[in-house]
Amino acid sequence: VVLLAHKHYDHLDETSVVALAAQPGGPPLFVVPLGVKRWFAERGIDGAIELDWWQLVRVGEIEVFFVPSQHWSGRSLSDRMRTLWGGYAVFAPDFQLFFAGDTAYSKDFADIRSRFASRQGNGRGFDLALIPVGAYEPRWFMKAQHANPAEAVQIHLDLAAQRSIGIHWGTFQLTDEALDEPPRALAAAARERGLADDAFTVMAVGETRRFARRPS
């Protein structure tokens, strides 16, 4: 399953999508926001599933919800805001994952926590949240679309996530902060809010981590 959060696909270009669709063993299931299925069909990729906010698709025992975030969509200057954008909440029997995609900080994350609280139980939110921590300076320009590390920590807290990993940083120089600043700023923000050292971190290139299954 490939989850795409926005039509501008920061990290998955057209060549990659076509290659995935042609891979041995058959294409993955693409789960996309409203308005994006047509883009896939134009490239000969059928079967993508479009979701509106709060809609879900079931893949075996796994439920994938498309959830709100604060950003915008577009692949050019002429198609802004013509398709939906958002993040994903993935519920498996033994693990619950949140993927924010690109986003600014907003009340959406508290709403997401409230919406799913009854199925998470015991004050435990998502087992793992993937939250953007980069591309945030200057704030006057980026605040409406990209969270900074302090706001990313607030997203972690709003979701009551057990662990979070910072994404959307260090690939190329998109904004004014240094490429290696987000991890340092994230660590400082996490300490300031009293988080454990391993509660919200980033990963090295090629690193693998394993997470415990969710208690039944």
Side-chain angles (χ1 to χ4, degrees):
V1 178
V2 176
L3 308 178
L4 300 180
H6 307 287
K7 194 185 175 185
H8 65 272
Y9 305 155
D10 282 352
H11 309 303
L12 193 63
D13 62 19
E14 182 173 347
T15 301
S16 300
V17 168
V18 173
L20 283 170
Q23 68 184 354
L29 175 64
F30 292 96
V31 182
V32 302
L34 283 180
V36 178
K37 184 176 181 178
R38 177 180 176 182
W39 184 90
F40 282 81
E42 289 170 348
R43 286 148 184 84
I45 303 171
D46 297 320
I49 295 179
E50 284 188 338
L51 297 179
D52 197 354
W53 286 340
W54 303 118
Q55 286 186 327
L56 72 95
V57 59
R58 291 183 174 87
V59 183
E61 293 185 291
I62 298 172
E63 293 182 331
V64 179
F65 287 82
F66 189 55
V67 296
S69 68
Q70 181 174 309
H71 204 273
W72 47 269
S73 63
R75 290 185 65 85
S76 71
L77 295 177
S78 62
D79 65 349
R80 293 291 176 92
M81 311 292 277
R82 293 186 181 178
T83 64
L84 196 56
W85 58 90
Y88 291 91
V90 181
F91 293 89
D94 57 0
F95 204 78
Q96 297 184 3
L97 171 72
F98 179 79
F99 171 63
D102 278 11
T103 187
Y105 177 73
S106 70
K107 68 180 291 291
D108 291 313
F109 303 103
D111 292 342
I112 291 165
R113 167 62 179 148
S114 177
R115 183 93 170 207
F116 295 128
S118 62
R119 68 186 302 159
Q120 292 178 321
N122 299 322
R124 181 188 180 103
F126 292 95
D127 300 296
L128 179 64
L130 307 179
I131 301 173
V133 298
Y136 51 82
E137 293 290 353
R139 295 310 289 151
W140 67 266
F141 180 64
M142 301 308 297
K143 185 175 178 63
Q145 54 208 325
H146 289 162
N148 65 16
E151 291 167 331
V153 169
Q154 187 61 56
I155 293 172
H156 168 89
L157 294 169
D158 286 355
L159 295 170
Q162 299 301 296
R163 296 285 187 275
S164 291
I165 293 175
I167 61 172
H168 195 266
W169 69 275
T171 304
F172 55 88
Q173 190 70 45
L174 178 64
T175 47
D176 286 354
E177 80 276 1
L179 279 174
D180 60 351
E181 179 184 309
R184 297 196 305 271
L186 174 63
R191 285 194 301 271
E192 185 175 339
R193 300 300 298 271
L195 298 185
D197 290 343
D198 62 348
F200 195 165
T201 58
V202 298
M203 294 179 66
V205 174
E207 181 182 352
T208 298
R209 294 188 190 176
R210 297 183 181 274
F211 296 89
R213 293 184 178 184
R214 188 178 186 87
S216 59

